[in-house]
Every structure is written in structure tokens, then in C-alpha cells.
Amino acid sequence: MRQNIDTGIARRIALYSDAVLWRGPAQYVTTSGTPGFDAAGKLSPDFAVQAEWAWKNVLAALKQADMDVSHIVKVTQYIVRKSDAPVYRPIREKFLGDARPASMLFYGMELPWPEMLIEIQADAVKPF
């Protein structure tokens, strides 16, 4: 059984889902690349603010599936500027807490919008 999850981020960008929930022997959610739009749909020029909001947006998608950070099994992070890595690390640690998912950090040249400085994609699994 498949269900699309809408947190309001994707509809600002293109035709895709913010996350997809799969139910079977376990509940599985995979999020799309999630940028750091704030509650008003704006992107701050500040990397740390975008990173905080990107994590909040990922966790909002998981919450709609009755999941949280403890269910994340893999996270992929795309950062435009390598120089933001030292700023990002403590933000990531704050949101992940004791969770230790598999992880990949990618430094890219650009994201879909020039103002986007980060996107986070997460996969989460919750046994029934």
C-alpha cells in the first residue's frame, strides 16, 4: 500500500511528493530531497537556517507517517558549499541525537534553485 505525504515543500518546486509511505511487513518512508524552506515558504540566505529547516521538514514528513528520527535508516545530504560542512555538522547531530543511520554527504555545484544551499533525503523503516 502506497501513500504520498505532502508537507507543502514539493508543490513549491515541481510535481513530486515530499515523501512516500509504503506499508507491508514494515512501514517504509522515503523522502524526496528536502530543502530548507521555512514555514512561510521562504529560503533564508543563511546556510545554518536552511539546514535547520531542512531537518524540520524531513521530520515533519516522518511525523505524518507516525515515525521519528529513530526510524531513519539512511540519510543523504547535499550541500552546495563545502565550506558549510563545519556549520552543518552540529546541526545534523542536534537533529539526529543518538540515531546512527547510514549516511552520505555530497558536496554539489548547485541545487534546483540558486538560493538552495542544502537538501536532505531520508529513508525510514518502522516495524509493525
Side-chain angles (χ1 to χ4, degrees):
M1 174 132 205
R2 176 188 164 157
Q3 173 187 339
N4 292 340
I5 293 176
D6 179 10
T7 63
I9 300 295
R11 69 180 104 126
R12 291 184 173 97
I13 301 170
L15 185 59
Y16 66 91
S17 295
D18 293 306
V20 176
L21 164 66
W22 287 90
R23 290 195 171 114
Q27 181 168 292
Y28 172 75
V29 170
T30 186
T31 70
S32 294
T34 305
F37 286 110
D38 66 17
K42 305 284 186 208
L43 284 169
S44 170
D46 183 87
F47 172 81
V49 172
Q50 283 195 33
E52 291 258 345
W53 272 104
W55 273 107
K56 289 176 185 178
N57 294 331
V58 166
L59 296 180
L62 294 180
K63 184 176 182 179
Q64 286 192 38
D66 194 30
M67 298 169 86
D68 59 38
V69 70
S70 70
H71 298 106
I72 297 174
V73 295
K74 172 132 193 299
V75 63
T76 304
Q77 302 116 126
Y78 298 88
I79 296 176
V80 173
R81 301 180 305 230
K82 190 174 183 177
S83 61
D84 287 323
V87 173
Y88 179 62
R89 199 166 292 115
I91 294 168
R92 179 185 187 278
E93 290 172 1
K94 177 177 100 172
F95 281 92
L96 285 178
D98 292 331
R100 295 291 177 265
S103 179
M104 188 195 91
L105 176 60
F106 174 78
Y107 302 110
M109 291 178 48
E110 60 186 49
L111 288 164
W113 291 8
E115 303 88 4
M116 287 181 186
L117 303 176
I118 184 172
E119 276 193 333
I120 301 169
Q121 186 278 324
D123 297 323
V125 177
K126 179 180 176 183
F128 285 120

